[in-house]
Amino acid sequence: MGDLDSLTTNSQEKSFLELFENKVVYEIPLFQRSYVWTITKQIEGIKDDFDEIIDEKKNIHFFGAIIIQRLETDVGETNRYEVIDGQQRLTTIFLFIMAAIFHMRIHDPEYAAILFKRFLIDADNDIENSNLQPSAVDRGQFNWIFQNIISNSDFKNELKDKKAQFEEFALGSNSKLDGRIRKNYTSFKSYLKIKIHDYPETEKANELKKIITKILTSCKVVSLVVKNPQYGPIIFDKLNSGQEEMNIGELVKNFVFARIAKEKNNIDAVQQFHDTSWNSFIREFKDTKAAESYFFPVCLIHEPNTRKENVYRNMTGLWNRKKLTAEEIIENLKEYQSAYNALSIGQ
């Protein structure tokens, strides 16, 4: 890679191509906040950047940083990362690739199937095998988009030949079939349709290949892999001044729901746990600030030498050592809740 093809000498600087071309799955925590980027605030600006890349007015564009943590997998399994920060960027990149494959499947079904298998799915997995695992509320929209892409019969046959079948996400009661994810996907489809409109039919596939290659190789992010999720908020705060703050409460919630998802392996059961056990715990606090401040003193009871930056590590370490289930973790957290609430309101 030459000096003109990168912004830094950091080995973690990656192009869109490098983020998704290798065998890797990015998991957004089930109950993470939903995708929020809009066409007017973000997508139109991104398309302007894409225009400059396609027209060769610039050969590189920096999309910022993403913060991820490597998840444990068995030998030979696909590498998996939990997305601590970067949901909006990763989802938007993924939507662009999906829109490009939608058009490519019309003009070159065989090549589209290659892209589909390379970028969109983990073909070795027969359960919810998208390379981007969205939050629970966004999964219905992803199912719709995948079905929109594979609706072409010729393309379906190509996918079958290449053993590249998409396995739908299980949906909970709060999953939506429409929203910003679908709108932004449709916006990217319209954008690409205009880009290839004036080319003869025989040249549209080749022009799409050029566009896809330029965008995926020219757009860059720095991928920061943290050793412990608790370091995420520290890094996030410095990189994203003025944006919505991450907090320990969200990290604890993500940990608990990762555990319940493994225990139940059923989206409805996970949703029920959220609506009952988790929500009943959170509703006992007087406000969100009190809830967020609770975890440090509770951790001090179990680990008296804990510093604030080590709260998440120490708490989750304790739960792992004791092999607590998700329900037991909630009960563990509730033990001192009444006393804390009394103190926080001056009783």
Side-chain angles (χ1 to χ4, degrees):
M1 182 180 288
D3 291 342
L4 296 178
D5 297 323
S6 60
L7 288 158
T8 72
T9 58
N10 192 316
S11 62
Q12 296 307 309
E13 180 180 320
K14 297 182 182 295
S15 66
F16 286 1
L17 182 67
E18 292 169 310
L19 280 179
F20 283 101
E21 72 168 344
N22 297 319
K23 203 172 183 183
V24 61
V25 171
Y26 297 102
E27 295 186 11
I28 296 166
L30 271 178
F31 287 89
Q32 183 71 280
R33 62 177 72 97
S34 61
Y35 178 80
V36 297
W37 276 13
T38 66
I39 292 173
T40 54
K41 287 187 177 181
Q42 286 92 11
I43 303 303
E44 289 302 329
I46 288 171
K47 288 190 285 190
D48 289 341
D49 294 324
F50 286 179
D51 284 340
E52 291 188 318
I53 291 169
I54 293 168
D55 296 338
E56 298 184 349
K57 293 180 180 179
K58 62 180 180 182
N59 68 338
I60 195 166
H61 178 72
F62 185 54
F63 258 74
I66 62 172
I67 304 172
I68 55 180
Q69 183 197 21
R70 176 76 180 268
L71 299 174
E72 290 186 9
T73 54
D74 292 333
V75 176
E77 288 187 340
T78 301
N79 291 332
R80 305 180 80 89
Y81 292 90
E82 180 177 305
V83 179
I84 296 172
D85 177 53
Q87 172 190 3
Q88 310 300 320
R89 294 178 179 88
L90 285 172
T91 303
T92 301
I93 297 165
F94 204 69
L95 293 176
F96 173 78
I97 297 172
M98 295 173 100
I101 292 173
F102 172 87
H103 286 295
M104 185 63 75
R105 88 211 206 292
I106 298 171
H107 305 292
D108 189 342
E110 182 178 3
Y111 187 69
I114 293 172
L115 294 178
F116 188 93
K117 185 175 183 179
R118 182 181 182 186
F119 291 107
L120 299 189
I121 65 164
D122 175 13
D124 295 332
N125 193 347
D126 56 3
I127 300 175
E128 297 182 344
N129 63 351
S130 171
N131 284 341
L132 182 67
Q133 301 277 312
S135 64
V137 71
D138 289 336
R139 292 184 168 206
Q141 294 182 73
F142 265 78
N143 280 350
W144 186 93
I145 293 171
F146 269 107
Q147 291 304 326
N148 182 246
I149 295 172
I150 64 179
S151 60
N152 180 288
S153 58
D154 289 339
F155 186 53
K156 274 186 178 179
N157 291 332
E158 289 290 345
L159 292 178
K160 187 175 181 180
D161 290 342
K162 290 180 170 52
K163 297 180 180 179
Q165 303 299 309
F166 166 65
E167 302 297 334
E168 287 195 340
F169 292 105
L171 303 182
S173 57
N174 68 336
S175 294
K176 299 177 181 178
L177 296 179
D178 199 4
R180 290 176 179 176
I181 286 177
R182 271 182 62 175
K183 287 180 173 63
N184 291 351
Y185 163 72
T186 301
S187 179
F188 280 133
K189 284 202 303 182
S190 300
Y191 171 79
L192 289 168
K193 184 177 182 180
I194 292 169
K195 287 296 180 185
I196 63 173
H197 179 269
D198 294 334
Y199 290 88
E201 286 299 314
T202 55
E203 296 180 20
K204 289 184 187 294
N206 191 51
E207 189 59 29
L208 269 173
K209 290 179 185 179
K210 291 179 182 178
I211 292 172
I212 294 168
T213 300
K214 284 182 177 179
I215 298 302
L216 295 186
T217 56
S218 299
C219 293
K220 309 279 187 174
V221 297
V222 171
S223 175
L224 302 174
V225 183
V226 296
K227 296 179 180 178
N228 187 305
Q230 177 142 351
Y231 302 144
I234 299 170
I235 300 169
F236 179 90
D237 183 57
K238 298 302 180 184
L239 293 177
N240 301 278
S241 178
Q243 295 192 32
E244 189 170 353
E245 185 181 357
M246 294 177 67
N247 56 57
I248 298 301
E250 289 180 342
L251 294 175
V252 169
K253 183 179 181 181
N254 292 343
F255 178 90
V256 172
F257 280 96
R259 179 150 297 187
I260 193 68
K262 287 183 178 179
E263 293 169 359
K264 301 294 186 182
N265 197 27
N266 180 291
I267 191 69
D268 288 326
V270 175
Q271 182 68 52
Q272 184 179 11
F273 179 85
H274 176 271
D275 296 342
T276 54
S277 298
W278 179 263
N279 279 351
S280 67
F281 165 64
I282 293 298
R283 279 195 297 265
E284 292 299 313
F285 295 104
K286 67 176 183 178
D287 53 34
T288 53
K289 185 177 180 180
E292 171 62 16
S293 301
Y294 177 64
F295 299 102
F296 180 44
V298 168
C299 191
L300 283 173
I301 293 170
H302 299 288
E303 302 281 352
N305 294 323
T306 297
R307 295 182 179 182
K308 280 191 175 181
E309 62 266 26
N310 295 327
V311 171
Y312 177 85
R313 184 188 66 188
N314 289 357
M315 290 183 72
T316 55
L318 174 69
W319 298 333
N320 283 332
R321 288 195 301 274
K322 291 187 173 183
K323 298 181 179 180
L324 299 185
T325 66
E327 291 283 1
E328 289 170 339
I329 290 172
I330 295 296
E331 291 306 311
N332 179 263
L333 288 171
K334 284 182 176 180
E335 184 175 359
Y336 301 100
Q337 189 176 30
S338 297
Y340 171 83
N341 285 338
L343 288 168
S344 67
I345 61 176
Q347 292 182 353

